Amino acid sequence: MANFLPSLGDLNVTTPLAHRAQIQEHPLQKADAFIQKSAHRRHAHIPITYLVGIIISICGNVLISISLNIQKYAHVRLSQQGAKPYYTSVLWWFGLVLMGVGELGNFAAYGFAPASLIAPLGCVSVIASALISVIFLKETLCVSEIVGGTLAITGTYILVMFAPHTSTHITAQLIQFYFMSWHFLLYLMIEVISFCILLFVYKKRNKKHIVIVMLMVALLASLTVISVKAVSGMIAESIQGHLQLIYPIFYVMLVIMVVSCAFQIKFLNQAMKMFDATEVVPINFVFFTASAIVAGIIFYQEFEDLELLNIFMFIFGCLLSFLGVFLIARNRPKAKNQDSDFIAMDTMVPGRRRTDRVQPDSKTETYGSLADKFMCNRGGQTEDS
């Protein structure tokens, strides 16, 4: 029976002591091989599409900033020419088309690069808008805006260098798997509950605070980022010959994208009406970027293989971009909203120092007499006719 038992040499079995001795014999070679193997696995999928996504996103944000300044210039020209509707200006429509092209570029960029990288690149639009307004609209540039632009550019560079350099290969099966994962369902449940609480406070309790509105926009934006990347990735995969449009998950993500975008624009417009743009722009950028990064981490698991140093530098780059956008936006010219409780007066009012706005006293007997007299005159004219 001993002849039927193979020896250790025949089985090529390495005992733990022999394996430990083998490692200790050439520790540097083993470590170097392990580092090279890890680096190869880490960077094996750094395709040119990663750089394409960054370039498309930067170009799209620059086009958006150009379009906003073109539309602003069109409004200035129309105000000088007279009270004409803005949609009669060819220049305004040109700016709108450029904005559509820029947003389409951002949409396409999500199909090439990680969502946690594309979202922070939105600060490029703020930087470019400040530069264009100085060059073409002759607006002044203060020291804080120069410092803010420098910080934002530095933060963007750090983001690009230390962000996840691998993008998930989007397919319908993968999106469906991520969509049904327990961590995303838990994240979705927390997000829905938080949104309902904020909406109740905003609508029923009538708390019109900018943080409440911007938090609702950010919660919707996280779903927008997830669905946009999914739809963009499946369309790109279909263009390459692997049809993904036949799967129901594509249309589920398409509906989520459209609905979340619509409500996001609705609440953002309400914020722009209630608050100044210098407050809305930096807060919206910070909240949107944070929600997009969290969505990319939870849904697409973009930080799964990222080293601790890269995560720390990525967060540091985000903070620099946030600070830069805040410094740029805080000195932008504020909109002059005239209070509806005051009556504009172009002539001097005897006995008053304030000549631009006069507020009638509601406690006097003559309060509202002008409107009553006007209504009585209208009634008399009706009876005469």
Side-chain angles (χ1 to χ4, degrees):
M1 182 177 294
N3 296 329
F4 291 98
L5 293 176
S7 62
L8 291 176
D10 296 332
L11 289 176
N12 195 18
V13 176
T14 305
T15 61
L17 293 176
H19 180 67
R20 187 181 303 174
Q22 184 180 3
I23 294 177
Q24 292 177 354
E25 183 179 357
H26 302 288
L28 296 179
Q29 295 180 1
K30 294 292 182 181
D32 185 62
F34 176 76
I35 293 173
Q36 290 181 359
K37 183 178 179 181
S38 300
H40 177 73
R41 184 174 65 251
R42 172 85 183 146
H43 299 285
H45 298 287
I46 300 182
I48 194 172
T49 54
Y50 177 81
L51 298 176
V52 170
I54 294 175
I55 294 173
I56 292 176
S57 177
I58 292 176
C59 293
N61 286 305
V62 171
L63 283 179
I64 291 173
S65 61
I66 293 175
S67 67
L68 290 175
N69 282 275
I70 288 177
Q71 288 179 327
K72 183 177 180 180
Y73 179 70
H75 283 296
V76 172
R77 286 186 57 183
L78 289 174
S79 63
Q80 294 175 353
Q81 295 175 0
K84 291 184 179 180
Y86 62 89
Y87 52 81
T88 59
S89 173
V90 178
L91 194 61
W92 185 87
W93 282 104
F94 178 69
L96 184 64
V97 171
L98 281 182
M99 179 177 290
V101 175
E103 293 292 351
L104 185 62
N106 278 334
F107 173 80
Y110 280 100
F112 294 96
S116 56
L117 174 63
I118 298 300
L121 289 178
C123 67
V124 175
S125 178
V126 181
I127 300 171
S129 181
L131 294 177
I132 293 171
S133 63
V134 171
I135 296 174
F136 294 100
L137 299 180
K138 307 302 180 182
E139 295 183 359
T140 58
L141 191 66
C142 61
V143 178
S144 63
E145 291 176 336
I146 298 175
V147 175
T150 305
L151 291 176
I153 292 173
T154 306
T156 303
Y157 175 77
I158 295 175
L159 284 172
V160 173
M161 294 301 297
F162 292 94
H165 287 181
T166 57
S167 184
T168 307
H169 189 66
I170 302 298
T171 60
Q173 293 87 350
L174 185 63
I175 295 299
Q176 187 172 353
F177 174 77
Y178 285 158
F179 193 83
M180 299 303 296
S181 60
W182 68 268
H183 45 81
F184 173 70
L185 294 178
L186 179 61
Y187 170 75
L188 184 62
M189 182 181 67
I190 295 174
E191 186 170 278
V192 170
I193 294 174
S194 302
F195 184 83
C196 291
I197 294 174
L198 291 171
L199 188 62
F200 174 78
V201 174
Y202 177 70
K203 291 290 186 182
K204 299 299 182 180
R205 297 299 179 89
N206 199 25
K207 299 294 184 181
K208 309 295 183 181
H209 197 277
I210 187 172
V211 175
I212 296 176
V213 183
M214 290 293 99
L215 279 176
M216 290 192 295
V217 173
L219 292 175
L220 291 169
S222 64
L223 295 179
T224 303
V225 169
I226 291 173
S227 56
V228 163
K229 183 171 178 61
V231 172
S232 177
M234 285 188 279
I235 291 177
E237 190 72 13
S238 300
I239 294 175
Q240 295 176 2
H242 306 285
L243 188 61
Q244 304 292 313
L245 308 184
I246 59 175
Y247 296 97
I249 191 64
F250 172 80
Y251 300 97
V252 171
M253 285 296 180
L254 184 64
V255 171
I256 293 175
M257 181 184 71
V258 174
V259 173
S260 61
C261 279
F263 281 98
Q264 184 181 345
I265 293 172
K266 175 185 175 181
F267 287 113
L268 190 58
N269 286 332
Q270 290 180 3
M272 293 295 289
K273 290 179 182 179
M274 293 186 294
F275 310 101
D276 198 85
T278 56
E279 299 173 334
V280 175
V281 170
I283 295 178
N284 179 56
F285 174 72
V286 172
F287 285 4
F288 171 81
T289 304
S291 64
I293 293 173
V294 172
I297 293 173
I298 294 178
F299 190 85
Y300 293 103
Q301 303 175 10
E302 293 177 346
F303 280 22
E304 186 177 7
D305 296 329
L306 204 62
E307 288 80 5
L308 185 60
L309 177 62
N310 289 51
I311 296 175
F312 174 77
M313 294 302 296
F314 181 84
I315 296 175
F316 179 67
C318 288
L319 293 177
L320 285 181
S321 299
F322 295 162
L323 181 59
V325 170
F326 173 76
L327 291 177
I328 293 174
R330 67 189 293 265
N331 289 317
R332 292 285 92 192
K334 296 185 177 182
K336 297 180 180 179
N337 296 326
Q338 190 165 343
D339 197 346
S340 59
D341 296 333
F342 293 88
I343 303 173
M345 304 293 290
D346 296 328
T347 57
M348 295 291 293
V349 179
R352 291 182 181 267
R353 294 182 179 180
R354 185 88 176 180
T355 59
D356 56 344
R357 297 188 299 180
V358 177
Q359 184 183 26
D361 189 3
S362 59
K363 297 181 180 180
T364 59
E365 296 179 356
T366 58
Y367 181 78
S369 59
L370 181 61
D372 295 336
K373 183 178 180 181
F374 177 71
M375 295 301 294
C376 291
N377 291 338
R378 289 190 62 185
Q381 292 176 2
T382 305
E383 293 176 357
D384 294 339
S385 61

